[in-house]
Amino acid sequence: MYGQTFAAWRRDAAGPWHAYTHHPFVARLGDGTLPRASYLRYLEQDYLFLIHFSRAWALAVTTADTVDEMRFAARTLDALLNEEIALHVATCAAEGLDEAALFAAEELPQTIAYTRYVLDAGHSGDFLDLLAALAPCVLGYGEIGLRLAENIAENPYADWIGAYAAPEYQRVCHEIGALLDGAAARRLGAAADASPRKGRLAARFAAAARLEVGFWDMALAG
Amino acid sequence: MYGQTFAAWRRDAAGPWHAYTHHPFVARLGDGTLPRASYLRYLEQDYLFLIHFSRAWALAVTTADTVDEMRFAARTLDALLNEEIALHVATCAAEGLDEAALFAAEELPQTIAYTRYVLDAGHSGDFLDLLAALAPCVLGYGEIGLRLAENIAENPYADWIGAYAAPEYQRVCHEIGALLDGAAARRLGAAADASPRKGRLAARFAAAARLEVGFWDMALAG
Amino acid sequence: MYGQTFAAWRRDAAGPWHAYTHHPFVARLGDGTLPRASYLRYLEQDYLFLIHFSRAWALAVTTADTVDEMRFAARTLDALLNEEIALHVATCAAEGLDEAALFAAEELPQTIAYTRYVLDAGHSGDFLDLLAALAPCVLGYGEIGLRLAENIAENPYADWIGAYAAPEYQRVCHEIGALLDGAAARRLGAAADASPRKGRLAARFAAAARLEVGFWDMALAG
Amino acid sequence: MYGQTFAAWRRDAAGPWHAYTHHPFVARLGDGTLPRASYLRYLEQDYLFLIHFSRAWALAVTTADTVDEMRFAARTLDALLNEEIALHVATCAAEGLDEAALFAAEELPQTIAYTRYVLDAGHSGDFLDLLAALAPCVLGYGEIGLRLAENIAENPYADWIGAYAAPEYQRVCHEIGALLDGAAARRLGAAADASPRKGRLAARFAAAARLEVGFWDMALAG
């Protein structure tokens, strides 16, 4: 749905992708039965996640090949660091957690695994390797938001769902899908399917989807 | 003038700093006698410089220790990539150079030396090492702008001078000076003068100032 | 025991350090009751660990400040990549696992978390930050080897224990302890205790020790 | 001569390649008329060059995709850091320059430009981008050595020429040529000519060849 490159990676990672997007944490967000403690654990670790995810988009600025790629990554960094994190801080503040407390929270292994894996994809590979590791979070949330939004009457997590189902977020997903397609065309050519990098890129995407599963597991266990 | 850390580095690099800020290119910008061809050469290479300088501020986002340091670096990246480069593109367009032509221009060795040196300071060292290499450009332009602005009647380069003498740019310089002081305090402690890193940091600052001299030389020779 | 810097970090991380060096996996290696399946799981993931740990020592070469620091890191890289991994491959081959199978094994989240955390310490900080994340593995194994070697009669894991208790490995530990002391003196000065970086460096060391605990947990669970 | 990938890049960079391999510095090395002062300037800067070139091969270890690629890069790092630099230090010592003096020498802009450009190729791109920037030095010296060795009777620079014409060095060149071919096949596929990355890779190779020209210029001017 968000471009051809995403569609191909998603298809190759069908198992992990389903496990991620249909995880019990997601299902219980969707039907409103998620325990508050799990949600708070998620929010706390997601704050730390967003810090390092912002760093990964900054890394993308340094590995872009064109000014347009640079600008896109810089805009995403800005949206994360100034809007998404601010939203997070506000939500957490309403629950009694201030930003200094969030920043000082102990980062759990699942958060470390996911965020540092993404950063290393950028350090060890090129812009496209980094995007393959960044894509599951952004686009998976778009998919989850849309699906859960079909039925959210009386759900205490309606705001969360609404944010990712919103046209603004969906537009970002489509733009990122187009960024992936452009970045892939620029590096793999028209016959991306014939590229020897195909397997490694799909493997990165699948690995990031599996790390999302671990992240949900951690929140549910909390 | 822009904080204590800058003052100390500037003092230790007195020779290169003077050679940079009082370079013939600068003097002739100031009295309006700079040949147009030199100015255009400068603009062309400065576009490429700004691309890589933006990358260096993005790298700073990835090496920051606090959310405030991250936000500052991200804001500077945004200002460079969206405002300063746009200004540049507009100036160049008025001279008949479009952005694609700028991006495709051959990057000269002096531009490569300076920009990649700064990036390597960030890759091989920490946030403070990177700032020591980033500071001469930002703060030197502030100093040059202020000095030249004292006397700019009838100068064809009045716009350039005015941009760096302007209160907005001077405010940025003071903020960056405060960023340097905070970053130094956070990594070297109150007694920065006693830190074993003092010499290396000052050497990075001096090296970047010398690379500015090479950049002006290149533009004058063009 | 392996220098002053290590002693200070170890003291500050007393809890995680004990949890790591006295983990049930270690205890059962020591009394010979560790299930073979756990040992094999450990060997498989440790192969992947060593690949990325080698990459981290290569990263150290790129962030060193002196030729001696570079040579030390390069020598360690060589020892890991050519001797330690070769030993590993031989041990695994004896168990029926060839190197291609090892390289293709799915990297588990605990392995990802630990290795990418270490690499990110080097990318986001300086040489000393990287060493703080590298030290727990090298020196903890030295400590564990020595302690377990006091009583290894009839133990099926005597070879593993003997390798880390051996004078050659202990000499490496002392050399790395001296490297840490030199690197700290060069960056923090004589009064390392007064450095504002003290807390962050100790936190990195502690985080790596906790990630060692996760690694043992994973192997035991396998 | 050293593989297909090199042959293609060399052909695309015919102008800079000829300017580099037939530079007056090279011609005068070959006929023995190079002033001693130029040779010493070259040796001094080449020491600093080798330090950073070693760092670039270490960076290659961190960006490799296979264990073989890692081992090759680690072996080259070792040869540079322990053999080639040691040879250099011995040659310089015979001329009265000790290693501490070499390490403390001011790095000239041409040395900075070349070395940091290579490092940035690795940080901004992947293993193959880095190899494209590393290749001109290693393989160009192989070509120069062979050509000059055809006629070196009575030449004071016979040792220098002999080192690069020697079967050992030529074997390294052939191995690196094979590394390039393997790395390209693994990332671009069989039809490297059709890859959209072809132009950028050739441009990196050409840029590094031009930076070699600047390096010779600097030495001759010294």
Side-chain angles (χ1 to χ4, degrees), chain B residues 65-92:
Chain B
D65 272 0
T66 68
V67 179
D68 281 346
E69 287 179 350
M70 287 179 76
R71 287 198 173 121
F72 193 103
R75 212 158 52 227
T76 307
L77 163 63
D78 179 65
L80 283 167
L81 206 48
N82 295 308
E83 294 164 37
E84 186 129 352
I85 288 183
L87 202 77
H88 227 79
V89 169
T91 308
C92 293

PDB file of all heavy atoms in Angstrom, chain B residues 65-92:
ATOM      1  N   ASP B  65      24.770  14.331  23.801  1.00  0.00           N
ATOM      2  CA  ASP B  65      24.543  13.598  25.059  1.00  0.00           C
ATOM      3  C   ASP B  65      23.198  13.907  25.694  1.00  0.00           C
ATOM      4  O   ASP B  65      22.729  13.161  26.555  1.00  0.00           O
ATOM      5  CB  ASP B  65      25.625  13.966  26.077  1.00  0.00           C
ATOM      6  CG  ASP B  65      26.857  13.080  25.973  1.00  0.00           C
ATOM      7  OD1 ASP B  65      26.871  12.185  25.115  1.00  0.00           O
ATOM      8  OD2 ASP B  65      27.798  13.295  26.753  1.00  0.00           O
ATOM      9  N   THR B  66      22.612  15.048  25.340  1.00  0.00           N
ATOM     10  CA  THR B  66      21.348  15.439  25.958  1.00  0.00           C
ATOM     11  C   THR B  66      20.341  15.786  24.865  1.00  0.00           C
ATOM     12  O   THR B  66      20.719  16.062  23.718  1.00  0.00           O
ATOM     13  CB  THR B  66      21.527  16.695  26.847  1.00  0.00           C
ATOM     14  OG1 THR B  66      21.816  17.812  25.989  1.00  0.00           O
ATOM     15  CG2 THR B  66      22.649  16.523  27.863  1.00  0.00           C
ATOM     16  N   VAL B  67      19.070  15.777  25.243  1.00  0.00           N
ATOM     17  CA  VAL B  67      18.025  16.130  24.282  1.00  0.00           C
ATOM     18  C   VAL B  67      18.191  17.581  23.835  1.00  0.00           C
ATOM     19  O   VAL B  67      17.971  17.903  22.661  1.00  0.00           O
ATOM     20  CB  VAL B  67      16.627  15.885  24.880  1.00  0.00           C
ATOM     21  CG1 VAL B  67      15.544  16.272  23.886  1.00  0.00           C
ATOM     22  CG2 VAL B  67      16.471  14.414  25.256  1.00  0.00           C
ATOM     23  N   ASP B  68      18.633  18.446  24.749  1.00  0.00           N
ATOM     24  CA  ASP B  68      18.845  19.846  24.352  1.00  0.00           C
ATOM     25  C   ASP B  68      19.949  19.969  23.303  1.00  0.00           C
ATOM     26  O   ASP B  68      19.815  20.734  22.351  1.00  0.00           O
ATOM     27  CB  ASP B  68      19.200  20.702  25.582  1.00  0.00           C
ATOM     28  CG  ASP B  68      17.950  21.044  26.390  1.00  0.00           C
ATOM     29  OD1 ASP B  68      16.833  20.852  25.865  1.00  0.00           O
ATOM     30  OD2 ASP B  68      18.098  21.476  27.548  1.00  0.00           O
ATOM     31  N   GLU B  69      21.028  19.234  23.492  1.00  0.00           N
ATOM     32  CA  GLU B  69      22.096  19.268  22.481  1.00  0.00           C
ATOM     33  C   GLU B  69      21.573  18.744  21.135  1.00  0.00           C
ATOM     34  O   GLU B  69      21.883  19.290  20.079  1.00  0.00           O
ATOM     35  CB  GLU B  69      23.303  18.428  22.939  1.00  0.00           C
ATOM     36  CG  GLU B  69      24.120  19.072  24.056  1.00  0.00           C
ATOM     37  CD  GLU B  69      25.316  18.214  24.512  1.00  0.00           C
ATOM     38  OE1 GLU B  69      25.413  17.034  24.107  1.00  0.00           O
ATOM     39  OE2 GLU B  69      26.144  18.727  25.285  1.00  0.00           O
ATOM     40  N   MET B  70      20.778  17.679  21.187  1.00  0.00           N
ATOM     41  CA  MET B  70      20.201  17.140  19.949  1.00  0.00           C
ATOM     42  C   MET B  70      19.334  18.185  19.252  1.00  0.00           C
ATOM     43  O   MET B  70      19.412  18.363  18.041  1.00  0.00           O
ATOM     44  CB  MET B  70      19.305  15.928  20.244  1.00  0.00           C
ATOM     45  CG  MET B  70      20.021  14.674  20.623  1.00  0.00           C
ATOM     46  SD  MET B  70      18.830  13.325  20.960  1.00  0.00           S
ATOM     47  CE  MET B  70      18.345  12.865  19.285  1.00  0.00           C
ATOM     48  N   ARG B  71      18.465  18.815  20.050  1.00  0.00           N
ATOM     49  CA  ARG B  71      17.540  19.783  19.446  1.00  0.00           C
ATOM     50  C   ARG B  71      18.285  20.961  18.847  1.00  0.00           C
ATOM     51  O   ARG B  71      17.927  21.456  17.784  1.00  0.00           O
ATOM     52  CB  ARG B  71      16.522  20.257  20.499  1.00  0.00           C
ATOM     53  CG  ARG B  71      15.501  19.185  20.817  1.00  0.00           C
ATOM     54  CD  ARG B  71      14.251  19.757  21.492  1.00  0.00           C
ATOM     55  NE  ARG B  71      13.254  18.688  21.603  1.00  0.00           N
ATOM     56  CZ  ARG B  71      12.721  18.243  22.748  1.00  0.00           C
ATOM     57  NH1 ARG B  71      13.062  18.795  23.902  1.00  0.00           N
ATOM     58  NH2 ARG B  71      11.833  17.260  22.738  1.00  0.00           N
ATOM     59  N   PHE B  72      19.317  21.416  19.535  1.00  0.00           N
ATOM     60  CA  PHE B  72      20.085  22.544  19.017  1.00  0.00           C
ATOM     61  C   PHE B  72      20.706  22.179  17.670  1.00  0.00           C
ATOM     62  O   PHE B  72      20.620  22.938  16.697  1.00  0.00           O
ATOM     63  CB  PHE B  72      21.178  22.944  20.018  1.00  0.00           C
ATOM     64  CG  PHE B  72      21.774  24.267  19.690  1.00  0.00           C
ATOM     65  CD1 PHE B  72      21.424  25.394  20.412  1.00  0.00           C
ATOM     66  CD2 PHE B  72      22.653  24.410  18.620  1.00  0.00           C
ATOM     67  CE1 PHE B  72      21.960  26.636  20.082  1.00  0.00           C
ATOM     68  CE2 PHE B  72      23.179  25.646  18.279  1.00  0.00           C
ATOM     69  CZ  PHE B  72      22.834  26.760  19.014  1.00  0.00           C
ATOM     70  N   ALA B  73      21.320  21.006  17.628  1.00  0.00           N
ATOM     71  CA  ALA B  73      21.979  20.588  16.382  1.00  0.00           C
ATOM     72  C   ALA B  73      20.945  20.384  15.271  1.00  0.00           C
ATOM     73  O   ALA B  73      21.189  20.747  14.113  1.00  0.00           O
ATOM     74  CB  ALA B  73      22.782  19.307  16.617  1.00  0.00           C
ATOM     75  N   ALA B  74      19.791  19.831  15.607  1.00  0.00           N
ATOM     76  CA  ALA B  74      18.749  19.604  14.596  1.00  0.00           C
ATOM     77  C   ALA B  74      18.220  20.938  14.068  1.00  0.00           C
ATOM     78  O   ALA B  74      17.917  21.085  12.882  1.00  0.00           O
ATOM     79  CB  ALA B  74      17.613  18.768  15.180  1.00  0.00           C
ATOM     80  N   ARG B  75      18.107  21.914  14.958  1.00  0.00           N
ATOM     81  CA  ARG B  75      17.628  23.234  14.547  1.00  0.00           C
ATOM     82  C   ARG B  75      18.647  23.893  13.609  1.00  0.00           C
ATOM     83  O   ARG B  75      18.277  24.524  12.623  1.00  0.00           O
ATOM     84  CB  ARG B  75      17.419  24.093  15.803  1.00  0.00           C
ATOM     85  CG  ARG B  75      16.300  25.076  15.683  1.00  0.00           C
ATOM     86  CD  ARG B  75      15.779  25.496  17.056  1.00  0.00           C
ATOM     87  NE  ARG B  75      16.846  25.944  17.921  1.00  0.00           N
ATOM     88  CZ  ARG B  75      16.990  25.553  19.194  1.00  0.00           C
ATOM     89  NH1 ARG B  75      16.141  24.712  19.735  1.00  0.00           N
ATOM     90  NH2 ARG B  75      17.971  26.015  19.918  1.00  0.00           N
ATOM     91  N   THR B  76      19.910  23.723  13.920  1.00  0.00           N
ATOM     92  CA  THR B  76      20.952  24.309  13.068  1.00  0.00           C
ATOM     93  C   THR B  76      20.964  23.627  11.707  1.00  0.00           C
ATOM     94  O   THR B  76      21.087  24.282  10.666  1.00  0.00           O
ATOM     95  CB  THR B  76      22.331  24.168  13.749  1.00  0.00           C
ATOM     96  OG1 THR B  76      22.228  24.708  15.062  1.00  0.00           O
ATOM     97  CG2 THR B  76      23.398  24.907  12.975  1.00  0.00           C
ATOM     98  N   LEU B  77      20.819  22.313  11.707  1.00  0.00           N
ATOM     99  CA  LEU B  77      20.713  21.565  10.452  1.00  0.00           C
ATOM    100  C   LEU B  77      19.558  22.105   9.615  1.00  0.00           C
ATOM    101  O   LEU B  77      19.701  22.358   8.415  1.00  0.00           O
ATOM    102  CB  LEU B  77      20.476  20.082  10.775  1.00  0.00           C
ATOM    103  CG  LEU B  77      19.952  19.183   9.659  1.00  0.00           C
ATOM    104  CD1 LEU B  77      20.956  19.098   8.518  1.00  0.00           C
ATOM    105  CD2 LEU B  77      19.662  17.780  10.204  1.00  0.00           C
ATOM    106  N   ASP B  78      18.420  22.298  10.244  1.00  0.00           N
ATOM    107  CA  ASP B  78      17.247  22.795   9.539  1.00  0.00           C
ATOM    108  C   ASP B  78      17.505  24.187   8.967  1.00  0.00           C
ATOM    109  O   ASP B  78      17.175  24.464   7.811  1.00  0.00           O
ATOM    110  CB  ASP B  78      16.062  22.824  10.515  1.00  0.00           C
ATOM    111  CG  ASP B  78      14.807  23.356   9.864  1.00  0.00           C
ATOM    112  OD1 ASP B  78      14.312  22.693   8.934  1.00  0.00           O
ATOM    113  OD2 ASP B  78      14.332  24.434  10.263  1.00  0.00           O
ATOM    114  N   ALA B  79      18.120  25.053   9.772  1.00  0.00           N
ATOM    115  CA  ALA B  79      18.400  26.420   9.309  1.00  0.00           C
ATOM    116  C   ALA B  79      19.348  26.394   8.108  1.00  0.00           C
ATOM    117  O   ALA B  79      19.177  27.150   7.149  1.00  0.00           O
ATOM    118  CB  ALA B  79      18.995  27.251  10.442  1.00  0.00           C
ATOM    119  N   LEU B  80      20.349  25.510   8.145  1.00  0.00           N
ATOM    120  CA  LEU B  80      21.304  25.423   7.044  1.00  0.00           C
ATOM    121  C   LEU B  80      20.640  24.878   5.791  1.00  0.00           C
ATOM    122  O   LEU B  80      20.747  25.439   4.704  1.00  0.00           O
ATOM    123  CB  LEU B  80      22.465  24.490   7.422  1.00  0.00           C
ATOM    124  CG  LEU B  80      23.509  25.064   8.360  1.00  0.00           C
ATOM    125  CD1 LEU B  80      24.403  23.948   8.879  1.00  0.00           C
ATOM    126  CD2 LEU B  80      24.356  26.115   7.639  1.00  0.00           C
ATOM    127  N   LEU B  81      19.937  23.762   5.969  1.00  0.00           N
ATOM    128  CA  LEU B  81      19.432  23.022   4.821  1.00  0.00           C
ATOM    129  C   LEU B  81      18.254  23.740   4.175  1.00  0.00           C
ATOM    130  O   LEU B  81      18.060  23.650   2.959  1.00  0.00           O
ATOM    131  CB  LEU B  81      19.015  21.628   5.296  1.00  0.00           C
ATOM    132  CG  LEU B  81      19.016  20.490   4.312  1.00  0.00           C
ATOM    133  CD1 LEU B  81      20.292  20.427   3.521  1.00  0.00           C
ATOM    134  CD2 LEU B  81      18.830  19.181   5.083  1.00  0.00           C
ATOM    135  N   ASN B  82      17.476  24.427   4.980  1.00  0.00           N
ATOM    136  CA  ASN B  82      16.268  25.031   4.429  1.00  0.00           C
ATOM    137  C   ASN B  82      16.361  26.539   4.249  1.00  0.00           C
ATOM    138  O   ASN B  82      15.833  27.069   3.278  1.00  0.00           O
ATOM    139  CB  ASN B  82      15.067  24.629   5.275  1.00  0.00           C
ATOM    140  CG  ASN B  82      14.827  23.125   5.181  1.00  0.00           C
ATOM    141  OD1 ASN B  82      14.735  22.584   4.078  1.00  0.00           O
ATOM    142  ND2 ASN B  82      14.792  22.430   6.304  1.00  0.00           N
ATOM    143  N   GLU B  83      17.064  27.233   5.152  1.00  0.00           N
ATOM    144  CA  GLU B  83      17.160  28.680   4.984  1.00  0.00           C
ATOM    145  C   GLU B  83      18.455  29.096   4.287  1.00  0.00           C
ATOM    146  O   GLU B  83      18.426  29.687   3.227  1.00  0.00           O
ATOM    147  CB  GLU B  83      17.040  29.377   6.346  1.00  0.00           C
ATOM    148  CG  GLU B  83      15.651  29.191   6.957  1.00  0.00           C
ATOM    149  CD  GLU B  83      15.627  29.513   8.438  1.00  0.00           C
ATOM    150  OE1 GLU B  83      16.318  30.462   8.855  1.00  0.00           O
ATOM    151  OE2 GLU B  83      14.926  28.800   9.192  1.00  0.00           O
ATOM    152  N   GLU B  84      19.587  28.756   4.884  1.00  0.00           N
ATOM    153  CA  GLU B  84      20.859  29.257   4.339  1.00  0.00           C
ATOM    154  C   GLU B  84      21.094  28.749   2.912  1.00  0.00           C
ATOM    155  O   GLU B  84      21.484  29.515   2.037  1.00  0.00           O
ATOM    156  CB  GLU B  84      22.025  28.863   5.259  1.00  0.00           C
ATOM    157  CG  GLU B  84      23.332  29.480   4.801  1.00  0.00           C
ATOM    158  CD  GLU B  84      24.095  30.214   5.903  1.00  0.00           C
ATOM    159  OE1 GLU B  84      23.541  30.375   7.010  1.00  0.00           O
ATOM    160  OE2 GLU B  84      25.241  30.614   5.656  1.00  0.00           O
ATOM    161  N   ILE B  85      20.830  27.473   2.683  1.00  0.00           N
ATOM    162  CA  ILE B  85      21.034  26.957   1.322  1.00  0.00           C
ATOM    163  C   ILE B  85      20.029  27.589   0.360  1.00  0.00           C
ATOM    164  O   ILE B  85      20.373  27.933  -0.770  1.00  0.00           O
ATOM    165  CB  ILE B  85      20.960  25.407   1.300  1.00  0.00           C
ATOM    166  CG1 ILE B  85      22.220  24.832   1.962  1.00  0.00           C
ATOM    167  CG2 ILE B  85      20.832  24.882  -0.122  1.00  0.00           C
ATOM    168  CD1 ILE B  85      22.329  23.321   1.940  1.00  0.00           C
ATOM    169  N   ALA B  86      18.799  27.803   0.818  1.00  0.00           N
ATOM    170  CA  ALA B  86      17.787  28.416  -0.050  1.00  0.00           C
ATOM    171  C   ALA B  86      18.210  29.830  -0.440  1.00  0.00           C
ATOM    172  O   ALA B  86      18.064  30.255  -1.597  1.00  0.00           O
ATOM    173  CB  ALA B  86      16.429  28.436   0.664  1.00  0.00           C
ATOM    174  N   LEU B  87      18.755  30.561   0.531  1.00  0.00           N
ATOM    175  CA  LEU B  87      19.263  31.910   0.284  1.00  0.00           C
ATOM    176  C   LEU B  87      20.354  31.854  -0.781  1.00  0.00           C
ATOM    177  O   LEU B  87      20.390  32.649  -1.727  1.00  0.00           O
ATOM    178  CB  LEU B  87      19.860  32.455   1.589  1.00  0.00           C
ATOM    179  CG  LEU B  87      19.967  33.965   1.733  1.00  0.00           C
ATOM    180  CD1 LEU B  87      18.574  34.526   2.069  1.00  0.00           C
ATOM    181  CD2 LEU B  87      20.938  34.340   2.855  1.00  0.00           C
ATOM    182  N   HIS B  88      21.237  30.894  -0.580  1.00  0.00           N
ATOM    183  CA  HIS B  88      22.326  30.675  -1.508  1.00  0.00           C
ATOM    184  C   HIS B  88      21.827  30.389  -2.915  1.00  0.00           C
ATOM    185  O   HIS B  88      22.330  30.935  -3.887  1.00  0.00           O
ATOM    186  CB  HIS B  88      23.102  29.451  -1.023  1.00  0.00           C
ATOM    187  CG  HIS B  88      24.533  29.696  -1.015  1.00  0.00           C
ATOM    188  ND1 HIS B  88      25.133  30.404  -0.020  1.00  0.00           N
ATOM    189  CD2 HIS B  88      25.490  29.389  -1.907  1.00  0.00           C
ATOM    190  CE1 HIS B  88      26.420  30.492  -0.292  1.00  0.00           C
ATOM    191  NE2 HIS B  88      26.650  29.887  -1.423  1.00  0.00           N
ATOM    192  N   VAL B  89      20.856  29.492  -2.977  1.00  0.00           N
ATOM    193  CA  VAL B  89      20.312  29.109  -4.276  1.00  0.00           C
ATOM    194  C   VAL B  89      19.685  30.320  -4.959  1.00  0.00           C
ATOM    195  O   VAL B  89      19.859  30.524  -6.164  1.00  0.00           O
ATOM    196  CB  VAL B  89      19.297  27.955  -4.097  1.00  0.00           C
ATOM    197  CG1 VAL B  89      18.512  27.712  -5.369  1.00  0.00           C
ATOM    198  CG2 VAL B  89      20.035  26.690  -3.664  1.00  0.00           C
ATOM    199  N   ALA B  90      19.007  31.140  -4.171  1.00  0.00           N
ATOM    200  CA  ALA B  90      18.380  32.339  -4.740  1.00  0.00           C
ATOM    201  C   ALA B  90      19.447  33.297  -5.266  1.00  0.00           C
ATOM    202  O   ALA B  90      19.339  33.814  -6.386  1.00  0.00           O
ATOM    203  CB  ALA B  90      17.517  33.029  -3.675  1.00  0.00           C
ATOM    204  N   THR B  91      20.493  33.519  -4.475  1.00  0.00           N
ATOM    205  CA  THR B  91      21.583  34.406  -4.909  1.00  0.00           C
ATOM    206  C   THR B  91      22.218  33.879  -6.190  1.00  0.00           C
ATOM    207  O   THR B  91      22.474  34.637  -7.133  1.00  0.00           O
ATOM    208  CB  THR B  91      22.675  34.493  -3.816  1.00  0.00           C
ATOM    209  OG1 THR B  91      22.047  34.833  -2.578  1.00  0.00           O
ATOM    210  CG2 THR B  91      23.727  35.517  -4.174  1.00  0.00           C
ATOM    211  N   CYS B  92      22.470  32.589  -6.208  1.00  0.00           N
ATOM    212  CA  CYS B  92      23.102  31.987  -7.381  1.00  0.00           C
ATOM    213  C   CYS B  92      22.176  32.050  -8.592  1.00  0.00           C
ATOM    214  O   CYS B  92      22.627  32.295  -9.716  1.00  0.00           O
ATOM    215  CB  CYS B  92      23.506  30.545  -7.094  1.00  0.00           C
ATOM    216  SG  CYS B  92      24.823  30.428  -5.873  1.00  0.00           S
TER     217      CYS B  92
END
